[in-house]
């Protein structure tokens, strides 16, 4: 929080200083300074974005990067109306957003900056080690209600999920509950507990042997057990890791994106190039996300 | 000099008048805003859909019934805890406790009333909910009952503080008269002091209900937020989702002017109606009790 505030204060100070210089051109929409980058969007990417910004500003003291969350939709919206130069997204830009962008004369450019795997977690005492996607889907949609149906003890299943406004929730709904089928209208069972934070899910799973939850691999702590997941019934069951996400064998993984309005230039281009460098991708693994393969 | 006095008089009167009217103006503005943002929901979502039992806004399911029952369950549960405890504590502080102890207890209760609810919510998630899960052998400790307990805890200081004031305001002569007639301490409290302070106690209960129904953060943290329509009394020990928690967790992300946005404001209208009904009932009760008290005393 204090880091975030610090960056914000720096940004505000920067804005004030540029204000002193005056703006003879009268172009109010122009970025406050060529060295300022506003990055807004996916809550999944906030911590990573902050770590990148901090490191980059340590390397290039003249850079001013502010990072805020709010959700992927909010970030892309801000990019399209010109309030930020960089939108972080936990999903690809939608057709509708692309149309709005083109109507406004903006051609969004996409960068895959990291990968995220969603880990399915249970209490460490739960004997269940692995589940297929179909089983997880049946658990969350309410078809399976007892752990004994998937090889566990005779205990009721308590389903935990993030709130429906989180990108992780939507991704889990599409990739796991509906198993990627467009026409599938499967929903979360109404009994699913919707918790407002990742920490809430970890806290409940680590305490409650009945619980099953999911969360970004980056948020999983050692006091919960991560399950191996298979795409179909007869395996292979794969634990999420950097390796299994990169070679595509872990089934619940996704790319994380950054979008710019038009081809990036100047410092923005430099920043994005740096993000894709081995140094910056090291931060990705440090925060529990999965780095993208670096092209040389 | 006299003219100047009159001027001050008029000025002060106007100032007080303005302050008095401002609450009506604010109320009117809030109501206007709620209605303009919430009523369009009725045009976009049919009443039948609105009062169905499935709440899943990102797929267009706008059934607010489970949210209403969730709020009711948690609030009623909280009042069942807060009213008896709060009233007994107030009676103890005002009527029974030695003055020196009462002088310590009263400020303590007031400090408790100022405790931020998010702190209680945190205690709820870390201590109360795991304890309840083990103690009552529930599938999960994040239930409507956990919310009720916490909300009860949040409402108790309000109830104590205001009903204690009301009890204190009962003239000493009432108690003396009762004792002179040979009533025991208990009979005096139950038959004279508490009934005489009834309107103040009702105000305390009403404010307690308001505090419980409007509370958001603590409830969001411990009730599990699952929008399930209760089928039996056992639902009290299952997760529930309240109206306030829904507005708080979804308003931040919703697109302004969308269906979902209007429905969230419609929930605000429903909450507003609830507090209106609570207020109406309470003022009706206060009015009636006054009539009876006057009859007894004249």
């Amino acid at each position: 929080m204090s880091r975030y505030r610090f960056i914000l204060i720096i940004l505000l100070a920067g804005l004030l200083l540029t204000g002193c210089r005056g703006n003879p051109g009268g172009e109010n929409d122009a970025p406050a300074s060529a060295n300022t980058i506003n990055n807004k969007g996916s809550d999944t990417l906030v911590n990573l974005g902050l770590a990148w910004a901090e490191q980059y500003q340590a390397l290039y003291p003249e850079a001013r990067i502010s990072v805020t969350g709010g959700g992927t939709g909010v970030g892309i919206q801000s990019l399209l109306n010109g309030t930020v130069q960089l939108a972080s997204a936990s999903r690809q830009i939608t057709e509708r957003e692309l149309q709005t962008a083109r109507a406004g004369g903006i051609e969004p450019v996409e960068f895959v900056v990291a990968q995220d795997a969603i880990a399915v977690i249970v209490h460490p005492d739960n004997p269940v080690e692995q589940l297929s996607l179909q089983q997880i889907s049946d658990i969350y949609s309410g078809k399976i209600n007892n752990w004994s149906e998937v090889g566990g003890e005779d205990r009721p299943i308590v389903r935990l999920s993030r709130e429906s406004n989180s990108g992780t929730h939507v991704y889990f709904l599409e990739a796991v509950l509906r198993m990627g089928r467009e026409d599938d209208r499967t929903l979360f069972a109404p009994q699913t507990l919707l918790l407002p934070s990742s920490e809430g899910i970890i806290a409940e799973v680590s305490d409650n042997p009945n619980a099953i939850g999911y969360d970004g691999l980056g948020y999983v702590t050692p006091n919960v057990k991560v399950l191996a997941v298979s795409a179909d019934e007869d395996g292979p069951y794969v634990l999420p890791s950097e390796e299994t996400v990169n070679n595509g064998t872990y089934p619940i993984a996704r790319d994380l994106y950054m979008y710019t309005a038009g081809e990036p230039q100047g410092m923005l281009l430099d920043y994005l190039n740096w993000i894709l460098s081995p140094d910056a991708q090291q931060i990705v693994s440090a925060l529990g996300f999965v780095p993208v393969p670096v092209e040389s | 000099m006299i003219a100047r006095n009159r001027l001050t008089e008029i000025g002060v009167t106007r100032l007080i008048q303005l302050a008095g009217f401002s609450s009506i103006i604010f109320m009117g503005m809030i109501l206007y805003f709620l209605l303009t943002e919430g009523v369009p929901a009725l045009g976009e979502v049919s009443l039948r859909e609105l009062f169905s039992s499935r709440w899943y806004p990102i797929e267009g399911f706008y059934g607010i019934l489970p949210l209403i029952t969730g709020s009711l369950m948690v609030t009623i549960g909280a009042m069942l805890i807060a009213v008896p405890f709060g009233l007994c504590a107030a009676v103890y502080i005002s009527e029974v406790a030695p003055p020196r102890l009462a002088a310590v207890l009263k400020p303590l209760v007031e400090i408790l009333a100022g405790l931020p609810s998010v702190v209680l919510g945190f205690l709820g998630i870390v201590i109360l909910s795991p304890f309840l899960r083990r103690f009552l052998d529930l599938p999960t400790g994040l239930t409507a009952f956990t919310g009720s307990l916490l909300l009860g805890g949040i409402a108790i200081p309000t109830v104590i503080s205001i009903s204690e004031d009301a009890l204190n305001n009962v003239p000493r002569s009432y108690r003396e008269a009762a004792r002179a007639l040979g009533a025991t301490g208990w009979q005096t409290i139950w038959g004279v002091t508490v009934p005489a302070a009834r309107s103040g106690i009702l105000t305390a209960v009403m404010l307690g209900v308001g505090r419980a129904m409007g509370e958001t953060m603590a409830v969001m943290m411990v009730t599990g937020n699952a929008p399930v329509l209760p089928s039996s009394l056992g639902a009290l020990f299952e997760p529930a989702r309240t109206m306030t928690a829904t507005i708080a967790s979804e308003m931040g992300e919703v697109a302004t002017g969308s269906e979902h946005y209007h429905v969230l404001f419609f929930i605000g209208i429903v909450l507003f109606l609830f507090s209106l009904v609570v207020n109406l009932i309470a003022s009706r009760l206060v009015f009636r009790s006054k009539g009876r008290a006057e009859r007894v005393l004249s």
Side-chain angles (χ1 to χ4, degrees):
Chain A
M1 195 65 206
S2 65
R3 241 190 300 167
Y4 166 82
R5 225 177 250 166
F6 178 70
I7 291 169
L8 213 120
I9 287 169
I10 286 188
L11 172 80
L12 284 178
L15 278 176
L16 274 177
L17 288 178
T18 46
C20 291
R21 260 192 288 150
N23 205 342
E27 270 192 336
N28 293 326
D29 293 343
S33 152
N35 290 343
T36 302
I37 298 172
N38 290 312
N39 177 3
K40 191 179 176 73
S42 165
D43 285 320
T44 316
L45 270 167
V46 166
N47 284 337
L48 185 55
L50 276 173
W52 275 333
E54 200 171 288
Q55 185 69 35
Y56 188 76
Q57 287 173 109
L59 293 172
Y60 305 93
E62 74 278 10
R64 299 282 174 266
I65 303 172
S66 85
V67 181
T68 47
T72 299
V74 176
I76 290 180
Q77 202 56 49
S78 309
L79 182 74
L80 298 191
N81 63 30
T83 47
V84 302
Q85 295 87 40
L86 194 58
S88 36
S90 56
R91 56 165 169 79
Q92 260 184 315
I93 193 165
T94 62
E95 199 51 47
R96 192 194 280 180
E97 284 163 343
L98 212 52
Q99 276 167 14
T100 319
R102 287 184 180 139
I106 294 172
E107 187 61 45
V109 181
E110 177 184 296
F111 297 84
V112 176
V113 291
Q115 284 166 310
D116 181 21
I118 295 199
V120 178
I121 51 177
V122 296
H123 191 270
D125 292 346
N126 193 328
V128 173
E129 297 283 345
Q130 56 185 41
L131 290 171
S132 70
L133 273 189
Q134 183 67 52
Q135 280 173 320
I136 302 172
S137 167
D138 286 348
I139 286 174
Y140 270 97
S141 61
K143 285 190 204 120
I144 295 178
N145 290 301
N146 196 298
W147 280 111
S148 61
E149 291 171 62
V150 289
E153 295 166 333
D154 178 24
R155 286 176 173 281
I157 297 179
V158 172
R159 311 163 183 90
L160 306 175
S161 162
R162 293 287 306 279
E163 274 286 356
S164 57
N165 54 19
S166 121
T168 318
H169 176 103
V170 176
Y171 174 65
F172 195 78
L173 175 71
E174 285 165 358
V176 180
L177 262 82
R178 296 176 175 167
M179 298 172 69
R181 293 182 296 253
E182 293 268 323
D183 54 339
D184 197 324
R185 298 262 63 95
T186 310
L187 292 175
F188 280 93
Q191 292 80 14
T192 309
L193 275 65
L194 300 175
L195 302 188
S197 65
S198 284
E199 288 76 15
I201 291 182
I202 301 282
E204 177 70 2
V205 171
S206 63
D207 176 69
N208 188 345
N210 304 321
I212 182 170
Y214 65 86
D215 215 336
L217 195 54
Y219 293 107
V220 174
T221 54
N223 53 356
V224 296
K225 183 161 92 180
V226 177
L227 294 183
V229 179
S230 79
D232 49 294
E233 303 294 319
D234 20 71
Y237 289 87
V238 184
L239 277 167
S241 71
E242 191 175 315
E243 194 191 339
T244 57
V245 171
N246 271 328
N247 65 21
T249 48
Y250 186 70
I252 326 173
R254 60 176 171 176
D255 290 339
L256 298 172
Y257 307 87
M258 293 264 191
Y259 283 93
T260 57
E263 284 296 333
Q265 285 161 352
M267 173 154 290
L268 194 54
L269 177 65
D270 193 54
Y271 184 48
L272 283 164
N273 280 337
W274 177 79
I275 283 177
L276 296 173
S277 74
D279 282 354
Q281 289 296 317
Q282 209 150 31
I283 302 176
V284 174
S285 8
L287 287 181
F289 291 98
V290 180
V292 286
V294 180
E295 295 158 32
S296 49
Chain B
M1 199 59 194
I2 293 169
R4 206 167 146 198
N5 272 349
R6 181 168 295 164
L7 252 169
T8 327
E9 182 84 355
I10 290 172
V12 169
T13 316
R14 287 276 171 267
L15 211 68
I16 293 173
Q17 223 168 29
L18 188 73
F21 277 123
S22 70
S23 66
I24 301 176
I25 295 169
F26 284 139
M27 200 59 238
M29 273 160 39
I30 290 171
L31 189 62
Y32 171 78
F33 187 69
L34 264 184
L35 289 178
T36 49
E37 298 289 355
V39 166
L42 293 172
E44 292 159 357
V45 185
S46 72
L47 267 183
R48 238 179 95 190
E49 260 180 86
L50 213 50
F51 289 95
S52 65
S53 61
R54 186 75 160 106
W55 174 261
Y56 196 63
I58 58 171
E59 293 279 327
F61 293 91
Y62 294 115
I64 63 171
L65 218 50
L67 309 180
I68 295 178
T69 54
S71 274
L72 281 180
M73 240 179 352
V74 174
T75 310
I76 293 173
M79 289 335 280
L80 286 181
I81 294 158
V83 172
F85 269 95
L87 190 55
C88 291
V91 165
Y92 178 75
I93 293 175
S94 152
E95 309 294 315
V96 184
R100 210 180 280 171
L101 186 60
V104 178
L105 284 178
K106 184 92 208 261
L108 274 183
V109 166
E110 259 139 37
I111 291 175
L112 207 61
L115 203 66
S117 59
V118 73
V119 173
L120 276 166
F122 185 68
L123 291 180
I125 211 167
V126 177
I127 298 166
L128 185 61
S129 119
F131 169 74
L132 283 178
R133 182 178 64 75
R134 290 196 185 89
F135 188 65
L136 301 172
D137 196 24
L138 300 169
T140 171
L142 302 171
T143 65
F145 180 67
T146 321
S148 289
L149 276 182
L150 264 198
L151 280 187
I154 289 170
I156 280 176
T158 314
V159 175
I160 296 180
S161 180
I162 296 168
S163 25
E164 203 264 348
D165 282 341
L167 289 169
N168 255 344
N169 285 336
V170 174
R172 212 182 142 74
S173 56
Y174 283 29
R175 298 187 186 93
E176 283 166 353
R179 298 307 285 264
L181 287 172
T184 60
W186 165 246
Q187 284 167 333
T188 311
I189 290 169
W190 196 241
V192 177
T193 325
V194 170
R198 183 183 281 181
S199 80
I201 291 174
L202 269 168
T203 312
V205 172
M206 216 172 73
L207 284 173
V209 172
R211 182 94 210 259
M213 197 150 63
E215 177 50 47
T216 309
M217 215 39 226
V219 172
M220 196 155 93
M221 289 164 85
V222 300
T223 54
N225 300 321
V228 190
L229 200 62
S231 51
S232 68
L233 266 181
L236 192 60
F237 297 99
E238 282 161 21
R241 188 180 181 90
T242 64
M243 294 190 272
T244 46
T246 306
I247 296 177
S249 63
E250 291 171 17
M251 192 54 97
E253 300 277 312
V254 74
T256 312
S258 64
E259 249 173 47
H260 186 189
Y261 176 85
H262 290 310
V263 173
L264 286 181
F265 271 98
F266 185 79
I267 297 175
I269 296 178
V270 174
L271 262 174
F272 182 81
L273 287 179
F274 269 80
S275 65
L276 196 69
V277 168
V278 170
N279 275 293
L280 281 179
I281 293 174
S283 64
R284 185 63 61 83
L285 286 174
V286 169
F287 189 68
R288 206 180 60 192
S289 76
K290 245 183 201 159
R292 193 184 293 160
E294 274 159 13
R295 239 179 301 137
V296 170
L297 294 172
S298 58

